[in-house]
Amino acid sequence: DAKTTQPPSMDCAEGRAANLPCNHSTISGNEYVYWYRQIHSQGPQYIIHGLKNNETNEMASLIITEDRKSSTLILPHATLRDTAVYYCIVREYGGSQGNLIFGKGTKLSVKP
Amino acid sequence: DAGITQSPRHKVTETGTPVTLRCHQTENHRYMYWYRQDPGHGLRLIHYSYGVKDTDKGEVSDGYSVSRSKTEDFLLTLESATSSQTSVYFCAISGQASEAFFGQGTRLTVV
């Protein structure tokens, strides 16, 4: 079973920041938080991952709480092309122990 | 994009026939995975491989078998296809210390 909880859907205005929350209260010390997204029926696309520090890349920022029980993915300036299902996953980094177990994700709708 | 190719991209087959889906990678990654995606269920892991000839079951492995005789190829076989196996199948690859990359999917319809 997925070890994360996400809201089923969210709306965001184009050009505004999209903040997607995720709860992972049972995360263990060696598990990372990963975010993927799936646009329409394409294969899931990797966005970002982190252990305990905040992370930023060209696509998004990841904010992890100090107790690591929740995190937020931030898309700083959402566009219509960011409309997708976003998945938050916890796993060990690499290896067979770290299989990606997907939950239902959050369907983000970016509106003009 | 990561070098991962699934074939075929679309297939229609009859109930009871064998079907093999192929996942090919050019990244020399150790780990390969097969998922299926159905409405209301999201992505579910079928089988995975952690090396040549090393495979293991995922959460929905019944009715499926896999083989990995070369690093670059991971085959998923439905020995006798059933209508419940109509789905979109995704392959993924991952290195020892890297994120996973997904293929574009194979849409399989069993009639």
Side-chain angles (χ1 to χ4, degrees):
Chain A
D1 289 348
K3 299 171 69 173
T4 61
T5 303
Q6 299 176 252
S9 63
M10 293 182 63
D11 291 339
C12 178
E14 187 177 21
R16 304 296 296 269
N19 297 280
L20 291 89
C22 179
N23 287 320
H24 32 79
S25 58
T26 62
I27 192 170
S28 60
N30 59 346
E31 287 182 317
Y32 288 68
V33 179
Y34 283 75
W35 283 85
Y36 284 76
R37 73 181 182 183
Q38 188 172 26
I39 297 173
H40 194 43
S41 56
Q42 300 176 19
Q45 175 190 23
Y46 166 79
I47 301 173
I48 197 167
H49 73 277
L51 182 63
K52 53 184 177 182
N53 298 319
N54 298 339
E55 302 287 344
T56 295
N57 63 20
E58 65 278 4
M59 290 182 67
S61 295
L62 174 61
I63 308 298
I64 303 174
T65 58
E66 191 169 346
D67 64 6
R68 301 208 326 122
K69 293 184 176 182
S70 66
S71 61
T72 301
L73 178 74
I74 301 172
L75 308 177
H77 305 288
T79 71
L80 299 179
R81 289 177 294 179
D82 292 320
T83 293
V85 178
Y86 288 77
Y87 297 98
C88 169
I89 300 164
V90 296
R91 68 174 286 212
E92 293 183 20
Y93 191 51
S96 61
Q97 302 88 343
N99 290 327
L100 289 168
I101 304 300
F102 287 80
K104 299 278 179 73
T106 296
K107 184 173 184 178
L108 175 69
S109 298
V110 181
K111 300 182 184 300
Chain B
D1 289 344
I4 177 169
T5 305
Q6 292 186 230
S7 59
R9 293 291 313 278
H10 301 273
K11 185 172 182 65
V12 180
T13 191
E14 293 184 349
T15 299
T17 60
V19 176
T20 295
L21 308 183
R22 180 185 185 225
C23 179
H24 178 78
Q25 62 148 327
T26 58
E27 305 295 325
N28 201 36
H29 280 340
R30 178 179 178 184
Y31 301 98
M32 299 185 76
Y33 312 83
W34 277 108
Y35 289 84
R36 62 177 288 175
Q37 186 169 33
D38 307 289
H41 287 281
L43 283 135
R44 293 181 290 174
L45 183 64
I46 305 171
H47 280 279
Y48 64 95
S49 169
Y50 45 96
V52 173
K53 298 192 190 313
D54 291 324
T55 65
D56 207 345
K57 297 178 179 180
E59 55 184 317
V60 290
S61 60
D62 287 348
Y64 302 95
S65 62
V66 291
S67 66
R68 191 166 178 204
S69 58
K70 299 184 291 185
T71 298
E72 58 265 34
D73 288 326
F74 191 33
L75 303 180
L76 176 71
T77 297
L78 292 65
E79 301 291 347
S80 178
T82 68
S83 58
S84 64
Q85 293 175 311
T86 292
S87 186
V88 180
Y89 292 85
F90 288 100
C91 175
I93 62 174
S94 174
Q96 179 66 35
S98 74
E99 59 273 19
F101 298 96
F102 286 78
Q104 288 305 301
T106 294
R107 186 173 297 274
L108 176 68
T109 302
V110 183
V111 298

